[in-house]
Amino acid sequence: MPHVLPPGFSEASLRSVLAELALELGDGWVDAPDEPSPDHLDPFALGDPLRFAPSAVVRPGSVEEIQAVLRIANAHRLPLWTVSRGRNLGYGGTAPRVRGSVVVELSRMNRVLEVNEDLGYALLEPGVSFFDLYEHLRANGHRLWMSAPGLGWGSVVGNALERGFGQAPYGEHSAAICGLEVVMADGDLVRTGMGSIGDGRAWHVYKGGYGPSLDGLFLQSNYGIVTKMGLWLMPEPECFRACEITFARDEDFVPMIETLRPLKVGETITGSARAANAVRVAQGTTQRSRWSADPGPLTRPAIQEMVDELGIGWWNLRFGLFGPEAVVEARYRMVQDAFGRIPGAQITSRRYAGDVTEAEIEPVDRPQAGIPSMMSYAILDWLDGETGHVGFSPLSPLRGEDAVHQVQMVRSRALEHGFDYSAGLTCGTRFLNHIFMILFDPTDAEATGRARRLFEVLVREGAASGYGEYRTHLEFMDLVAEQYDFHGGSQRRLNETIKDALDPNGILSPGKQGIWPRSGDYATTSMPMRSSSVASSGRSTSSTA
Ligand code: ADP
């Protein structure tokens, strides 16, 4: 198999750049196999995984080494793709948007640089995983809680930059960011906000600064490489109650959301609440073949059987209540009163001390206490054989009317395309992130094609009703960006103007989130990019492939 090459590179010119990189980093930190390693390919590709294959992976160990990588990349117009640990599996893993890019992987930079218990924050390098941070907090006796997403092996920094969610009180991870250190494309080193004054004593306590707020510029962006992040952590509460409410009928969905909203907006429930339909719950503990031998979508009687046999609801809501015991109990009574008005709603709850250990807590309650696990992996056992997944995840207001609109639209399109409707909803204070998992056999070209068509229909139809995706897989980054079309796509034009100003050679993660640099020959390569052109910016990201 020929070596995967970056656009505009020959085998010889790539080898020469890799030799330069190896001189700076040491041979062991430049990995350029003749055939891409499966570890660096999109694990759940909706087609040929080689379309998003990198040419090499480099692992700088310091800011200075990142600066050296950028100097070489600028000199040769070499596209890079930054990941912290590269465990973002549902969105492409380590794989870059532009085939042949060199992945810059930061797992060696894995120090917890500071934990401030009085003020509740940590200063982290990008290679720190959720498991690492949890171990560090426990090993040093810190009475602070973190929040983790479904898989604890990923990077805390990478997940927060991508606006990931967890279920503990600080579960909107991007909202906990306070102060970044960033290496810019030209090698300059910036500390945002209060971090740029002397030794920046208020860097991780005040999100503003003097002038524009810059932290947000580096979220889901390709404007810089983040090398340090201040992240707020919650003081360990005296106690918490893990609550679960099951709803007996599919029709209870709107009352569930309407009952939840005032409790969320009024801050009786302070952590994320997670709602899941019966299919999504069953996917965590069973295999599909237990419920149906028919490959077509699960029928209502099959779902009722799940509900009866597993003792779950058509809808299932989980959240935690946190604080001093008296406060938690008062909040619990409010929750019981409110949900008790929905006929058939069953509330169960377990109370724990705030310093509960991993061994003492029920596995299903661990996410609410920010204890990382690999629980979400269970979904990959759902289908016989291989299970690939891609998540459609639009944002909407936390309101029954919007939520039911989404559920009905997504469910009908899923069934029409022959897929089960599996829904997990993250309920923030005012928003709802509806995650529909399309599970498919990645070795089955017909099923993969159907999954892709369904996804495209959902993105377009969702946008037509005013709901946009909050994050997406490599494959759909352009399609999703195209939906943000206010004033002829002015937001994307602004994003690309900033891109050109900060990264004139277009070397940092070109195409990420549909943000393409003017420079770089990305339009004329044989990459299967989606056709998209932004007329007024004069650039085209179309490809004929
Ligand atoms: P995780 O290991 O948490 O799953 P990744 O390391 O794969 O996360 O990061 C997810 C995405 O976030 C990457 O594809 C990249 O776009 C962005 N990202 C991650 N780390 C950085 C960083 N240090 N600087 C800039 N962007 C980053």
Side-chain angles (χ1 to χ4, degrees):
M1 187 184 298
H3 202 296
V4 174
L5 298 174
F9 276 69
S10 66
E11 182 104 21
S13 60
L14 176 64
R15 292 253 166 250
S16 145
V17 179
L18 293 176
E20 275 188 58
L21 287 165
L23 264 181
E24 293 289 347
L25 307 184
D27 277 342
W29 305 118
V30 177
D31 185 8
D34 289 340
E35 288 183 30
S37 143
D39 288 349
H40 302 140
L41 295 177
D42 177 2
F44 306 124
L46 285 137
D48 179 3
L50 290 174
R51 288 182 315 142
F52 299 120
S55 55
V57 178
V58 297
R59 297 187 175 83
S62 65
V63 165
E64 293 70 26
E65 288 189 356
I66 292 175
Q67 288 166 323
V69 171
L70 291 169
R71 189 166 24 77
I72 295 168
N74 271 307
H76 299 280
R77 304 281 202 274
L78 174 71
L80 304 173
W81 182 262
T82 310
V83 298
S84 285
R85 295 184 64 86
R87 302 297 185 156
N88 204 13
L89 298 194
Y91 298 94
T94 304
R97 174 66 184 83
V98 171
R99 178 177 155 88
S101 299
V102 169
V103 171
V104 180
E105 198 239 74
L106 303 172
S107 57
R108 287 172 69 203
M109 298 173 68
N110 60 355
R111 290 174 301 168
V112 176
L113 296 165
E114 183 189 352
V115 174
N116 188 312
E117 196 158 324
D118 296 334
L119 292 161
Y121 70 77
L123 179 62
L124 305 173
E125 287 191 326
V128 175
S129 73
F130 290 93
F131 288 127
D132 295 337
L133 180 57
Y134 185 75
E135 281 315 308
H136 184 95
L137 295 175
R138 291 296 149 276
N140 293 284
H142 293 301
R143 299 175 75 89
L144 291 170
W145 274 24
M146 51 185 275
S147 169
L151 299 175
W153 61 358
S155 155
V156 179
V157 168
N159 183 275
L161 289 176
E162 286 290 284
R163 306 198 178 96
F165 293 111
Q167 293 179 50
Y170 289 17
E172 193 181 340
H173 298 160
S174 56
I177 296 175
C178 188
L180 299 176
E181 179 186 89
V182 189
V183 185
M184 305 304 295
D186 64 1
D188 204 359
L189 188 66
V190 172
R191 289 189 172 176
T192 62
M194 308 310 286
S196 63
I197 194 158
D199 69 353
R201 296 178 64 78
W203 191 13
H204 308 301
V205 293
Y206 177 61
K207 292 190 183 190
Y210 187 66
S213 297
L214 296 179
D215 282 2
L217 209 53
F218 301 100
L219 270 61
Q220 287 192 7
S221 94
N222 49 13
Y223 299 154
I225 296 182
V226 174
T227 47
K228 291 186 180 66
M229 175 184 282
L231 191 79
W232 287 349
L233 302 172
M234 185 175 99
E236 180 185 286
E238 183 182 300
C239 78
F240 89 102
R241 243 186 206 287
C243 302
E244 184 186 6
I245 309 181
T246 58
F247 298 87
R249 303 166 316 151
D250 198 15
E251 301 71 54
D252 295 332
F253 179 72
V254 170
M256 172 180 80
I257 298 291
E258 287 294 301
T259 305
L260 180 64
R261 190 187 51 253
L263 296 170
K264 287 291 304 171
V265 178
E267 298 190 358
T268 300
I269 299 175
T270 50
S272 288
R274 278 290 268 272
N277 68 354
V279 174
R280 182 68 192 85
V281 175
Q283 285 171 338
T285 52
T286 65
Q287 283 196 292
R288 191 180 194 282
S289 50
R290 173 166 165 191
W291 310 109
S292 172
D294 183 344
L298 291 164
T299 58
R300 286 185 74 90
I303 297 172
Q304 187 63 53
E305 202 179 312
M306 262 176 199
V307 166
D308 296 339
E309 281 190 33
L310 299 178
I312 58 178
W314 274 80
W315 291 97
N316 303 271
L317 183 65
R318 281 184 182 281
F319 53 86
L321 302 170
F322 309 87
E325 193 178 319
V327 173
V328 167
E329 292 312 308
R331 286 179 167 161
Y332 187 45
R333 282 192 296 278
M334 289 170 74
V335 164
Q336 285 175 309
D337 277 356
F339 285 103
R341 288 182 214 126
I342 302 178
Q346 300 276 345
I347 309 181
T348 48
S349 161
R350 284 174 285 272
R351 200 174 75 198
Y352 300 98
D355 62 357
V356 64
T357 64
E358 187 176 352
E360 294 161 345
I361 187 169
E362 285 288 325
V364 287
D365 297 335
R366 286 179 191 154
Q368 287 153 33
I371 300 174
S373 72
M374 293 296 284
M375 246 163 62
S376 295
Y377 229 80
I379 199 170
L380 297 182
D381 290 331
W382 178 242
L383 302 179
D384 292 334
E386 278 192 62
T387 307
H389 67 85
V390 59
F392 174 68
S393 45
L395 251 295
S396 79
L398 181 61
R399 209 164 48 180
E401 182 190 327
D402 292 280
V404 76
H405 178 98
Q406 288 207 12
V407 166
Q408 284 171 351
M409 187 278 275
V410 175
R411 176 156 42 194
S412 336
R413 297 297 161 264
L415 302 187
E416 280 162 26
H417 286 76
F419 289 98
D420 297 328
Y421 174 60
S422 156
L425 301 101
T426 298
C427 309
T429 306
R430 293 175 174 79
F431 67 84
L432 187 79
N433 180 212
H434 171 200
I435 303 181
F436 160 51
M437 280 290 185
I438 308 177
L439 298 180
F440 58 92
D441 175 354
T443 62
D444 177 344
E446 186 279 325
T448 308
R450 236 181 327 119
R452 178 204 299 261
R453 286 194 298 282
L454 168 58
F455 199 95
E456 292 178 355
V457 166
L458 292 173
V459 169
R460 292 205 167 88
E461 205 167 323
S465 308
Y467 307 113
E469 281 261 272
Y470 92 108
R471 182 183 186 187
T472 200
H473 182 274
L474 297 171
E475 181 85 43
F476 303 109
M477 282 182 177
D478 285 319
L479 176 68
V480 170
E482 281 162 24
Q483 312 308 311
Y484 288 81
D485 61 357
F486 172 75
H487 212 261
S490 53
Q491 180 175 244
R492 195 177 190 186
R493 283 199 298 281
L494 174 59
N495 285 337
E496 294 189 331
T497 302
I498 297 171
K499 176 69 179 162
D500 291 335
L502 298 180
D503 180 13
N505 294 321
I507 55 164
L508 280 180
S509 303
K512 180 168 169 58
Q513 251 61 27
I515 303 172
W516 291 97
R518 189 180 297 273
S519 171
D521 199 10
Y522 304 122
T524 55
T525 66
S526 58
M527 292 178 299
M529 285 179 185
R530 296 196 53 77
S531 173
S532 96
S533 63
V534 183
S536 49
S537 73
R539 82 188 71 211
S540 166
T541 59
S542 310
S543 144
T544 50

